[in-house]
Every structure is written in C-alpha cells, then in structure tokens.
Amino acid sequence: MASTQIPQTVKQWNVVAFDGFDGLKFSEQPLPEIGDSQVLVYCQYRDLAIARGRYPNGVTQNVVPGSDGAGTVVAVGKQVTLFKPGDKVLTLFNQGHLGGNLTSQTIATGTGSTLDGVLRSHGAFNENALVRSPFNLTAAEASTLPCAGLTAWNALFGSVDHAVKAGHWVLVQGTGGVSIFALQFAKAAGARVIATTSSPDKVLALKKLGADHVLNYKDDPSWGVTARKLTGGRGVDHVVQVAGAKEMVQSIAAVKMCGAIDIIGFLADRRSESEPGFMSCVTNLFTARGILVGSRVQMEEMIEAVEAHPEALRPVVDQRVFKLEQLREAYEYQWSGQHFSKVVIEID
C-alpha cells in the first residue's frame, strides 16, 4: 500500500437516529484498515432528509452522512490503478452507478445513505467510486459537483431525445444547488433561461449568472403561464422541476408540447397537495423524467465541460462556509432556506 501521512484516527459524524438534526453524533474513531481496492481520501468538502428520516431510497443505521465531497488521496491499496497519493478526487453519489441506467443494485450504493459518506476527516472508498477533480477548481468549489452538479447535468443532457441545445428555453425553479447548476449549464449550451424565486434579494444574483427572465412565484401564482408567454406562447423546452405537486401544475402550464419536465429530488413531501392527474401528461404531451443524480461516465463528461468553460461553469458556493464541527448549524441553515446554491462544509 502506497501512503503518505496516514492518520491513526478519523473525526466523523454519524446518523444515530433518523428523527432530526439532534440525531447526528460527532466522534473520533480508529481508522479502519484500507482494502486492496480502496483509496483513502482526506475529505475537504441529500443529507438533510436522511437526518430527518425522510429519505425514500434506503439508509444504513449509524451511517456517516454526506453524499458529495472533494479531497486528496492519502493512500491506495495494492490493486488500485486509477489513482495515486496526492491526486485530487471527488466522490461518486451512487458508488456502483458507473454507466448506463440505474438498477435495483446500483441504486443501493448511495454515498452517505447506505454506504458511509464524506462528513469525516478521512474515508476509504473503492477506486471506481472516485472521479478526478477538475484542475481549475478549489476543493470547496469541486465538492459541489457530485450531487447538485451531476443531477443538473443529467437533467439537461442525459436524455438523447431531450438534450438541451442552443436556442432552447429552460425553466429552472428556485436557487438551490441543482437549479443554479442547471442555469449555468443551460446558458453555456446557448439556451435561454427563465428562473423562479420567492426572494427579491436573489433576483440580481440570478441575472448575474445569466438568467434571461426571473419570476417571483409568490407574487405571481400563475408563473407557469407567465413563463409560456415569455416564449411567445410556444412553451419552454425543458423544466428542471425541484419542488412539489403545486409547482408541477405550473411546470405543466409552462412546458411546450413534446417538451420535457425533469423531476428531481423529494423536496415537497406534501401529502395534502393534490397531484396533477394522469390526463395532464396525455393532454399536454410532455415527457416526465425522474432523475437520481447520474453515472460516473456522465460525471466525467461534466468535469470536461467545467474545465472547458472555467468561468461560465465555476460552481457557486454560498457565502457561509461551515467547519466540520458545525455540521448541525450548517444543516439548520440550509433547512431554513436562507442559502443561495450550495452550502459547503470545510474539513481542516
């Protein structure tokens, strides 16, 4: 095993109870032995829902949370060929999803849910569960790519029939990490972007990132109809749908005939809302596509694009950066909705 500065212990968080952020426990533990196919990474950084017991795809008791991180290779097992000590790497969200479609097996390899995640000072990962980090980004910037960045990339370019092209109209909802990445990727592809927010304070930031139009969904409850009008009545080609049933109704109002709505995440666990009916899809003739991040192949493609467009595709990091010991505070901050794009945990 090649190595440099291998620690004896690891500082980490564990989810000991799935009933809120008080179920997070911080401790220092002995560093486990590194397997022959594993890479030991010094971690420099869907996580809220897991801690609150709302994640639908399976979790492991006492799991180390944190699905996306950036770090430096400290040591490698004797069978490792992809990396060497000193390499900068990113974690893969679903560690077994190397390419193609998800399966019942690969969906059960989630970092920070079924498999231990990145909210620890050091972690051992299978070499295939790591991807090289973009050479032009800081660790904080790069750490935002594995979940939010890759999800947005898959939403916009993961379908051959509905890949975003120059001249397309794209509607992105809100100012979370996925939506901000989708805005940046769409603009880099030459698309026109309509963004939504409920905060007047975030309008300027969205326009600085290239949004052609910004709609306040609180001031305009029929923002989907308004979005369609902005396209001259044809409708948007693509909707990045990150909210719930009420917002889906407006997404359907906005999308063009034979357009696409990419449904991401589970932010709206609002059982009281009436969901759009079966006939909504038939009547409007759009494609609804569920997204759960993406594959290693897609992540490598995204990294090449980020390196090719170093300024336009530089990740946006929230102005507040937290230390590892401040994890609960960071979770509360993001849960409150005060953040803009990605919240980063910095591990010294």
Side-chain angles (χ1 to χ4, degrees), residues 100-307:
N101 294 325
L102 274 168
T103 66
S104 58
Q105 289 76 37
T106 56
I107 201 173
T109 61
T111 303
S113 57
T114 53
L115 302 178
D116 282 338
V118 301
L119 289 170
R120 46 182 165 161
S121 56
H122 292 78
F125 301 88
N126 184 281
E127 63 175 330
N128 289 310
L130 299 170
V131 182
R132 71 172 183 86
S133 182
F135 66 81
N136 58 312
L137 300 184
T138 67
E141 292 169 336
S143 72
T144 67
L145 291 171
C147 182
L150 184 54
T151 299
W153 182 268
N154 187 5
L156 297 182
F157 307 109
S159 169
V160 174
D161 294 331
H162 295 285
V164 170
K165 299 179 178 63
H168 278 186
W169 283 92
V170 176
L171 173 64
V172 299
Q173 298 173 358
T175 54
V178 173
S179 298
I180 296 301
F181 271 117
L183 165 57
Q184 292 176 287
F185 290 152
K187 290 303 297 183
R192 292 165 287 186
V193 176
I194 303 170
T196 71
T197 181
S198 63
S199 172
D201 296 335
K202 296 179 179 179
V203 172
L204 182 59
L206 287 166
K207 289 189 174 181
K208 282 185 176 180
L209 289 170
D212 297 277
H213 304 277
V214 180
L215 305 178
N216 188 313
Y217 59 81
K218 283 191 176 179
D219 293 343
D220 182 5
S222 298
W223 50 268
V225 176
T226 303
R228 175 178 286 274
K229 290 178 180 177
L230 290 171
T231 69
R234 66 184 289 275
V236 301
D237 299 89
H238 236 285
V239 180
V240 180
Q241 165 76 29
V242 299
K246 181 175 64 176
E247 290 79 10
M248 185 65 175
V249 170
Q250 292 304 314
S251 294
I252 294 171
V255 73
K256 75 170 189 178
M257 186 176 293
C258 297
I261 299 178
D262 287 299
I263 303 171
I264 295 158
F266 41 89
L267 291 180
D269 184 16
R270 305 169 190 168
R271 309 272 170 85
S272 62
E273 289 187 5
S274 59
E275 298 181 0
F278 171 78
M279 290 304 297
S280 296
C281 186
V282 177
T283 303
N284 293 278
L285 298 178
F286 65 89
T287 297
R289 178 172 174 253
I291 301 292
L292 182 61
V293 197
S295 70
R296 192 180 200 276
V297 170
Q298 289 174 316
M299 192 164 173
E300 291 170 337
E301 293 171 348
M302 175 188 66
I303 287 171
E304 289 181 358
V306 169
E307 291 176 336

Side-chain angles (χ1 to χ4, degrees), residues 55-110:
Y55 188 61
N57 292 330
V59 293
T60 299
Q61 188 67 38
N62 209 41
V63 71
V64 176
S67 54
D68 43 349
T72 303
V73 174
V74 175
V76 299
K78 62 183 179 182
Q79 295 179 1
V80 171
T81 60
L82 297 179
F83 301 104
K84 64 184 184 303
D87 286 348
K88 306 296 184 182
V89 294
L90 305 177
T91 52
L92 187 63
F93 184 92
N94 280 311
Q95 296 186 22
H97 190 194
L98 306 184
N101 294 325
L102 274 168
T103 66
S104 58
Q105 289 76 37
T106 56
I107 201 173
T109 61

Side-chain angles (χ1 to χ4, degrees), residues 7-11 28-31 121-122:
Q8 299 300 308
T9 61
V10 54
K11 295 179 180 179
E28 187 166 355
Q29 303 290 333
L31 181 72
S121 56
H122 292 78

